[in-house]
Every structure is written in C-alpha cells, then in structure tokens.
Amino acid sequence: MGATTPFSVYEAEEGTPGGGAAVRSLTSAPTTQYSSAALEASGHSYVHLGGTGQSVQWTNTTGRPISFLNVRASMPDAAAGGGATGTLNLYVNGVFRQALNLNSRQTWVYEGNGNYNTSDNQNPADGDPRVFWDESHTFVTGSPIPAGATLSLRKDSDNSASFYDVDSLDVENPPAPLTQPANSISITSCGAVADDHPTNGAADSQSVDSRAAIQNCIDQARSQGKTLWIPQGTFYVKGTAGLNAQGITLAGAGMWYSTIYRDVPVPNSTPLPALFNLTSCTVRNFHIDANAVSRSTIGGDGGAMDTTGTDWLADGIWTQHTMSGFWASGTGGKVQNSRLTSIWADGINVNNVSLGADTGNNLTVTDNFVRGTGDDAIAINSVNYNTNSDGSKTYYNPMTNVTVSDNTSIAPWGGKGVGIYGGSGHQVKDNYISDTARYIGLGAGRFGVNGSDLLSATVTGNTVVRSGGNAYSQGQPALHIGNGGDGQNAGIVDKVTVTGNTVTGSLYDGIGFSTSTNTLLRDNTVSNPGRNGIAISPPFYPAPTGSATITGNRVTGLGSGASAFVNNSSGFVATLSDNDWPPAAPEGPYGGTPAAVPGTVQAEDYDTGGQGLAYNVTSVNGNANAYRADGVDLDNTADTGGGYNLGWTSGGQWFRYTVDVATAGTYTLGLRVAAPSAVAGALHLSDTAGTDLTGAIDLPATGDWQTWATVTTHVVLPAGRQTLTLHQDSGGWNINHLVLAAGSGSPSAKLTTSPGSLTFAEQTVNTTSAAQTVTVTNSGSATASITGVTAGGDFAQSNTCGTSLAAGANCTVSVTFKPTASGTRTGTLTLTGNQTGNPTTVALSGTGGTQTDLAAGKPTSASSHTDVYASSNVTDGNQGSYWESANNAFPQWVQVDLGSARSASRVVLRLPATWGARTQTLTLGGSTDGTTFTPLKSSAAYTFDPSNGNTVTLTFPAATQRYFRVTVTANSGWPAGQVSEFQIWNS
C-alpha cells in the first residue's frame, strides 16, 4: 500500500526517548481552526527534546547499512521571526558520530491578527503559528551504520536551540552516483559551477549563478539531440528567471548527489515562473531545492517544474521548498518514483492548464512519496475556465483518464492528501494517505465555480489514516464525495465509485457526502472515527439533493454518541444494503440521564438519536466536536458559564429534550436567548403529544448573537419523565439554556427588562440617534397595571405597553438619545405600576460629541484586491492611495470595522483627485456582526467627478453598526471596484 521507497521511515514516537525526552501527541480532535506541532506531525506525534542529554533512539532494523539520513524536525523561530540555525547530534551505538545541521528559516509563519490560512506572515508577535516541520538530509560521516546498531539524536550542550522536536527519521543506503551517459552534454562544460557548502535553509552567499550556463547547455542539448547531464554538486540558479527546455532528457547522478538550487532575492516583487518550464521532456535522478520562505511572490516562492506536452516523464526527482513540485498538463505524461518534502503548496498537481495547455489526459502519478505540503499533496485539477483581464473567459478540455496509484501522502499541513477535482474516467487506487492537519484526506469533487464537473471516477484500495481537519472550524471528513469540498457548493459530481478503501482514526466523520449523484460506496471499512462513520450532509458540507448506493460497508469502533450512518438531508436518497455496523441508537436523553425539573436544561444537551428522531435541521452547521460526536448547529457561547449554545435557527427546525419533572404544576420557563434583532413568534415548546405548551414566544433584540437576555413565560407540566420539543418557528436567534423553576406564593406582577441598561454610541450634539428597544416582560403570575413610562435626561421614549400587561406578556419601549452637550450623558427609563419592586428602571447613557470621521485608521477588509491596492488604503487618510478589487469580477466590496457599534448617518467616498470622471454603481450596507448586512443605501449609480474632488456623499437615517460595507457592481472607468477614502461620519 502506497509508494515503494528505497528508504525506511522511523517515527520518533516509535523510538525510545531518553534523558527525560517526552512523546507529545494529538490526543483529541482539534477544537480550534489553528495548527499545532502535533497536528502537523506525521502520526500526529513527535518527541520533544527540551533539555541537555535528552534523546530519541532507534535500532537499525532495515537489514542493511544506513549511510544517508533525512530528519524531519522543528526548532524554535528567532525572536523577531525569520528563523535560526542549529545542530543536533547523532550517536551510533552510544558514540558521537556527527552534528546534523538543522534550521527554522523555512518554517514558522503566523496566522494571528487577521492572517488566517496564509503562509506569508513571519511576525511571531501575531501568534498562532503554523508550518512547524522542515527536513534536512546528509550522508553519515564515517562508516555506514550497520544493521542491528542503535542510532540516536541527542540534544547536547553544544546544540544551542532551546528545544528540538523530532518527527521522523528516514534512513537508507543510496546506490553509488550514476556516471555521465553517452551522447550527453554536462552543464559544467557550459560554465556551470558547483557549490559544495551546505545550504541549511538559505543560499550560500558566495555561490555562482549558473542559470545562463545551464540554459545554454539545454539549448545545445536540444540542437544536438543530446541528454543534458547534471553532475554531482549543487548548482545555483539565481534571480527570478527560470530554465526552459523542450523535447530533451535532463538527467543527474541521483537525487542524493545532483542539486539545482533556486536562489531568489527576498523580499521579491517579481512574479516567478517555475524553475523548470518543460515541454515533452524526460527528467530523472536529481534534487531541486530553493530558498523560499513563504508561499508567495514576496517570499521568493516559485514552482519547481511546470510541464506539458506529450509522453513526458519525471522519474526519481526529489523536490523541497518550492511552491509546487510538479504542475503538469498534456497527454501521456507520468510522475513516478519521486519524493516531495516540505513543499509550500501542491506536491503533484496534474491539470489541463500548465504552460498554456488546454488538455490533461492519460496522465499517471505513481509510486511517489509526498510529505509536508502546504496544499494538496497530490491533485487532479480539471479547470473548466479562467477569466481573463478583459473579462473574457478561456475554456479548457475536461481532463480524462488520470491514474493516481501507489503513492504515499503524509502530513499535508495546508491541503488534502489526494484531491480529485473534475473530469472523468480517473482511477485513484492503492494510495496511502495519513495525518492531514486541516483538510480532507481523500476528496472526490470539483474545485470552485470555475472547475470542471466530475462525471466519473473510481476510488479503490486506498488507506486513509488519521485524516480530516478543522480548517475554518468545519470538522472536515477523512474521505469526501461531493461538490462542496472547497466551500463553493457548485457543479456536478456524478458516478463516483468508492470501493475497498480503509478509513482509520479519522479526526471527525470517516466518510462524508455533500451534493453528488449516483455514487457507489461499496465494501469500505471505517474504523475508530472521531465522529460518525458515514455522514450525508455533515457540518458545512450541504447535500440538499443527491443519491448514493451504500452497500457492504463496515463501521467499527464508534465513540459515545456517534452513529455508523447519519443522513442529515431530506433530499439526498441513500439506498442501504448489506452493511455491517451497529444499529442506530434510539432517541434518548443526552448522557443517559434526563434533565431534572425544576432545573436547567442546556440547549446543547438535546437528545441522542440523530436527524428525524432527536432533532430536525434543514442544514448542518457548527458541530462542537469537542463536546458531542453528533453535534449540529452548536457554537461556543460568550454567555456566563461558557459552553455551547444552539444557533443557526431556522423555521421548521426542532430539537427534543428528555426531562424528569419532580412535581406536576405550573413552572416558570426562563429562556436564555440572544438575537441581533427582535423576532416575533420565534419559538414554542410542545409536549410528547405535540401539544403547544407556551404559544408563540416573541424574542427581544439583545443587539448581538452573543449578547444574552432571559425571556420568561410559564408552562404547565405533569410529573414524571417526558419529552419537550423546542420548535424553531422563525430564525434569527440563539439559545443557551432553558430554566424551569417551580412557582410559589400569591400571584403578583413582576416586570423584567431586556436589556437591563442601554448605552448609546457617540451622537453629535443636538441630533437624534436611532432608537434602541427595551423589551418589558411581565414574568410574574398576575396582570401588571402600568401607570407611567418616562425617560429622563437627554433621552426620549415611545412605547406599546398601554395601562396593563398580562402575566407572560411583553411590550416594547423605544428610546432615543439627543445630547444637549458634549461628554457623557445619563438618564433613567422608569416604569411605574403595581409590580413587585416598583418602580422598574433601566439605566441610560450616551456620549455627546462633535462631527468625527469614525473610520479614520480603522481596520478594513475586502472581497479581493489587485496587486498593492489593498483595502487598508481606504482609511489611511491619503486620497492618493486606493483600493482596487480583482478586475472583471463584479460584484466586489470593501468594508470598515469600527471596532464596536457606532451611530453614523453619512458616508463619504473619494477617488484620487487627479483621476478622470467615472460612475460606479454602489450599495451601502451596515452590520453588527460582519455577517448579516442591513441595506443603508440601495443600489444606485454615483458619479465621481474631479470638479468636486472626486467625492461622493451618501446620507441615510442614523444607524448604529460596527461594520460598514460598500458593494460595487459596475464602474464606467475601470472593470473593478475602486475607493481611495471611505469616511464614516456620525452626523
């Protein structure tokens, strides 16, 4: 299974730690979207050497000598970023043999501070690191390590890094270097100069640039019909240009001996071609390395080999530290017997677009070893079209008959193990895939809106181990079939046959389906899944329609609360037969014990039993993987006490809760809820027979999805065990828990308010704010007589309360703020009547201010940007700098985050003063959460004219929002959205 390699891999955790060294492992599925060293390690485990004398030891069990080592290890970043160098000592049979060079120059990028899922940021202060592991290789000094001997890596006093983490050690005894073949021309004959100084994460500053000499030799080899020979040594290609070859063979002395090293000045601003750009060539037996420090142009990252043509071959190539290993199109090509380790993006991507091609047919990827890629280790990437700069589209032929077989894909830190994206007739078989850090292990689908549909593929005999991931907090499955694998949920995935595969130890669901048709899932084994065995429409992978035949599959080792098979979609038809798995669990209380009444029922503790029994949802969203295997629509709560709340509410959904009521009677029901806006008729509670216990319950606006308030009503319950169903009649709210308390004493009125205080954003003196709402609820057991509602200070109110409020009913008070002076202003909303604790008060506060551009210097974001024209330019106070979106791709948007909700009534947009006139069609929206936007100005055409400073002013009724977004759908001056200044004024 997987690739046949000339080396053996010794996992550190399978060795013997010494001197206090510790094995560190991933012990449970991630609950965060970010990375860790264990998550990115092969085996999801490693050995930590944190003190002098600590070591990890193995025994040479290969049956042959070991003369070459490749260490996958991690050492600390430099304090200011950019990496460091160090050594780690090798011992053989307990005797020091040599110091191994290690470094962290090409690892340690940071995702904090708005850099999620990038690999460009090298500032440790931003936190949330990723890319922990790199690989360094060397020949063993002295005699080879004999069979049966011990070898160990030990941190001694001369190994200066504070720690060394060891993931794995590859050991082998390479053959002797190959000699120059007949009818070949050596690059040294054209002036190429070898450099024998170890690179250790960076180029040798004294090395000679051999690019021109090598290109000259390539041209001679083609004109003379000869092979290009790369002898032993490291040959540098400096700068931003690559090497181009057509119709020749390029051969080296072996991947251990001949190296072409790309040295790009960093930081770099020039787009990079691949190091080798090859048409109908054969390449074999050499090593490619580079000094790239991130997956970007600025980090000096270009591909290793871009290939196209017919019957091309790559054989015995070892690639490291490039953007991609192979980016290859054409007909009849093959990548085989190659190694790709520590790659910034895809390892092997066969496609139909490389080097201007439009075809990718009958390509083969076989017997390759890929480890530690920043994108897919191996991908079949069929592109339907690309959009050109003028808005036109270039279309490509769908890929056909690609074979991916007998490969090993281990520990991709930023992509899948194997991804099938579109085309037909593909065979993906007998591959070994393990330890994805964030994404699906093996996926069959389509890539994005411009990818080709997948019309047939066979996936058979593959082993997928410890895979899946929590990128974007999605809890992705280990093996996936369907069109939602990259969040686009578009296109056709049809006739995928998945047979005889083994999925072991998945981090979340073993096998997941999104929208797809005519899938055959047969004779597969899923063991010890982290969540469910086989799931249709798992969280974030919707399957509103689809079909599959699921037969002869086996699921074992389910965890508590998990199911062998779940179908969360009413529109996906699954035909089941002859499967070997535990029966579905009946509905029952979560944790096995009914919630006690009186008491608190947590919203996340709905019954077990799955879709149609314990709950009914129309889509599956948050999952709370760390809490329960069958979690749906759960989110981390910011309410007091923490835990999870139930969210993603929608009309027609429901959740059941088994409770045990101590005594029959009337209970006060307190619903802990959050809602950005008021929701009329949001929910009701019913009993086992379906009888409505509460009537429609209105929810007040709490102001945010995580701003909580308690809404109170009453229910009458019999004694004993029973099931309560929480019906979502309208969406737009979250619920954290339900408190059922026994009533006592004489009937009385009690007025509660939500929220208990109001704070208004800064408002210009003598102007009136937007209204905020207080919901007044009679949570008592008698009607409340209301004799007065007043607002003091610079505040005014209107209300719907009237003169009485029945028990369980509510009314609303709308409060506005009109400051008469600058600075802090306070007041009180007072309700008088016969209620307990009369009067009922709500504290009011606000700030009077002068006209202010609220957006100045504030953070921004955008749907896209071109080149250096980023969204941050719109709040920098410089009319000459500007944001420009991707071209020919309307609609586009740019937004400002004020940091907190602020009242505003005017937006000013500007373009550079020297630009000619143009008209842009704009929409202005506002949001409190950055997700749901309320229109503030409807779509209209606005003309920017240099005669008025290229300025457009949008006025609107005062609105209190945190995020303000301008969406551009047309531009008469350039096919993109353009804004240089985005000002937001409080009056």
Side-chain angles (χ1 to χ4, degrees), residues 561 563 566-568 584-591 602-617 628 630-634 646 652-658 723-728:
S563 299
V566 293
N567 186 348
N568 293 316
E587 182 188 355
Y590 177 73
Q602 296 292 340
E604 64 267 32
D605 290 347
Y606 52 82
D607 285 356
T608 58
Q611 172 73 13
L613 289 177
Y615 58 81
N616 176 65
V617 294
R628 58 185 297 174
D630 57 345
V632 294
D633 291 1
L634 299 182
L646 192 64
Q653 298 189 154
W654 48 261
F655 288 79
R656 288 178 174 154
Y657 301 84
T658 299
T723 300
L724 302 177
T725 302
L726 179 70
H727 296 266
Q728 300 175 7

Side-chain angles (χ1 to χ4, degrees), residues 697-725:
I697 298 175
D698 299 333
L699 301 183
T702 65
D704 187 80
W705 294 106
Q706 290 295 329
T707 299
W708 296 90
T710 300
V711 173
T712 304
T713 187
H714 295 83
V715 294
V716 177
L717 299 176
R721 179 168 171 154
Q722 55 201 278
T723 300
L724 302 177
T725 302

Side-chain angles (χ1 to χ4, degrees), residues 320-548:
Q320 295 182 274
H321 304 122
T322 61
M323 175 173 279
S324 58
F326 298 96
W327 183 264
S329 61
T331 301
K334 179 184 288 189
V335 182
Q336 65 183 19
N337 304 321
S338 293
R339 303 184 199 181
L340 301 103
T341 56
S342 297
I343 302 293
W344 283 106
D346 289 349
I348 304 171
N349 184 305
V350 289
N351 54 65
N352 54 348
V353 297
S354 178
L355 294 180
D358 63 2
T359 300
N361 299 332
N362 302 306
L363 303 176
T364 300
V365 178
T366 187
D367 215 30
N368 301 287
F369 181 89
V370 188
R371 181 172 56 203
T373 57
D375 211 315
D376 297 338
I378 300 173
I380 303 170
N381 179 19
S382 184
V383 179
N384 180 27
Y385 69 85
N386 281 322
T387 302
N388 305 312
S389 59
D390 62 358
S392 64
K393 293 178 179 178
T394 299
Y395 286 86
Y396 306 91
N397 298 308
M399 296 177 70
T400 60
N401 302 323
V402 175
T403 298
V404 174
S405 66
D406 301 290
N407 300 284
T408 295
S409 297
I410 297 177
W413 50 265
K416 299 179 179 67
V418 174
I420 309 167
Y421 305 111
S424 63
H426 306 319
Q427 298 276 332
V428 175
K429 59 185 181 180
D430 302 327
N431 300 285
Y432 179 85
I433 300 159
S434 73
D435 305 309
T436 55
R438 291 196 177 179
Y439 292 93
I440 292 160
L442 196 166
R446 165 181 152 154
F447 192 89
V449 295
N450 68 323
S452 302
D453 293 330
L454 179 61
L455 300 182
S456 66
T458 298
V459 179
T460 184
N462 302 283
T463 296
V464 184
V465 181
R466 294 180 300 270
S467 293
N470 204 35
Y472 298 97
S473 299
Q474 291 179 344
Q476 299 185 15
L479 192 158
H480 169 255
I481 306 102
N483 71 359
D486 290 272
Q488 302 290 344
N489 306 324
I492 295 170
V493 175
D494 187 40
K495 297 183 179 67
V496 178
T497 297
V498 182
T499 63
N501 301 283
T502 300
V503 179
T504 302
S506 61
L507 296 184
Y508 304 100
D509 296 320
I511 300 175
F513 287 85
S514 58
T515 300
S516 51
T517 51
N518 300 309
T519 301
L520 173 61
L521 188 73
R522 184 181 65 204
D523 299 336
N524 301 281
T525 298
V526 178
S527 59
N528 302 306
R531 198 161 64 193
N532 302 302
I534 300 171
I536 294 171
S537 192
F540 301 100
Y541 287 80
T545 61
S547 62

Side-chain angles (χ1 to χ4, degrees), residues 27 96 104 111 136 150 152 161 181 251 315 398 435 490 507 622 630 649 666 675 680 685 709 782 820 841 904 937 963:
T27 57
F96 173 80
S104 57
E111 297 184 278
S136 301
T150 63
S152 59
D315 185 8
D435 305 309
L507 296 184
D630 57 345
T649 52
T666 299
L685 205 65
T820 57
T841 60
K937 292 290 285 187
Y963 301 88

Side-chain angles (χ1 to χ4, degrees), residues 544-938:
T545 61
S547 62
T549 298
I550 300 175
T551 182
N553 301 285
R554 188 165 188 259
V555 178
T556 63
L558 290 169
S560 175
S563 299
F565 173 79
V566 293
N567 186 348
N568 293 316
S569 170
S570 60
F572 192 107
V573 178
T575 303
L576 308 181
S577 66
D578 301 320
N579 295 293
D580 177 13
W581 58 47
E587 182 188 355
Y590 177 73
T593 303
V597 175
T600 299
V601 180
Q602 296 292 340
E604 64 267 32
D605 290 347
Y606 52 82
D607 285 356
T608 58
Q611 172 73 13
L613 289 177
Y615 58 81
N616 176 65
V617 294
T618 55
S619 65
V620 178
N621 299 287
N623 47 61
N625 295 301
Y627 187 69
R628 58 185 297 174
D630 57 345
V632 294
D633 291 1
L634 299 182
D635 192 17
N636 294 309
T637 185
D639 198 11
T640 302
Y644 301 94
N645 62 259
L646 192 64
W648 289 278
T649 52
S650 180
Q653 298 189 154
W654 48 261
F655 288 79
R656 288 178 174 154
Y657 301 84
T658 299
V659 299
D660 192 354
V661 179
T663 305
T666 299
Y667 288 82
T668 300
L669 171 63
L671 301 164
R672 189 66 171 168
V673 296
S677 302
V679 183
L683 62 100
H684 72 278
L685 205 65
S686 70
D687 62 14
T688 305
T691 303
D692 188 341
L693 300 176
T694 61
I697 298 175
D698 299 333
L699 301 183
T702 65
D704 187 80
W705 294 106
Q706 290 295 329
T707 299
W708 296 90
T710 300
V711 173
T712 304
T713 187
H714 295 83
V715 294
V716 177
L717 299 176
R721 179 168 171 154
Q722 55 201 278
T723 300
L724 302 177
T725 302
L726 179 70
H727 296 266
Q728 300 175 7
D729 300 316
S730 298
W733 49 278
N734 293 339
I735 183 166
N736 190 17
H737 57 243
L738 305 81
V739 177
L740 289 151
S744 61
S746 301
S748 62
K750 181 180 180 181
L751 298 184
T752 58
T753 60
S754 177
S757 63
L758 291 181
T759 300
F760 288 80
E762 182 176 304
Q763 185 70 30
T764 302
V765 171
N766 294 323
T767 65
T768 302
S769 72
Q772 295 192 45
T773 300
V774 175
T775 298
V776 181
T777 301
N778 182 357
S779 57
S781 54
T783 297
S785 296
I786 297 176
T787 58
V789 181
T790 60
D794 292 348
F795 302 88
Q797 64 83 30
S798 61
N799 68 83
T800 63
C801 297
T803 58
S804 65
L805 193 63
N810 58 60
C811 62
T812 59
V813 181
S814 295
V815 181
T816 56
F817 173 46
K818 185 178 180 180
T820 57
S822 60
T824 302
R825 314 295 291 170
T826 59
T828 303
L829 175 66
T830 303
L831 297 96
T832 55
N834 69 340
Q835 72 269 28
T836 301
N838 178 59
T840 301
T841 60
V842 176
L844 307 175
S845 64
T847 302
T850 56
Q851 291 188 1
T852 302
D853 176 13
L854 306 175
K858 290 295 191 289
T860 63
S861 58
S863 54
S864 66
H865 75 272
T866 297
D867 200 12
V868 298
Y869 308 115
S871 63
S872 57
N873 290 334
V874 304
T875 59
D876 65 358
N878 179 6
Q879 190 175 354
S881 66
Y882 61 94
W883 162 75
E884 181 175 306
S885 73
N887 290 190
N888 301 296
F890 291 119
Q892 296 286 336
W893 54 263
V894 63
Q895 71 182 33
V896 178
D897 177 4
L898 300 182
S900 62
R902 303 291 300 273
S903 177
S905 59
R906 178 166 57 98
V907 162
V908 176
L909 303 176
R910 290 178 174 169
L911 291 177
T914 58
W915 283 13
R918 65 200 62 206
T919 298
Q920 297 192 73
T921 302
L922 310 173
T923 302
L924 177 65
S927 174
T928 58
D929 61 3
T931 300
T932 303
F933 282 80
T934 300
L936 302 177
K937 292 290 285 187
S938 299

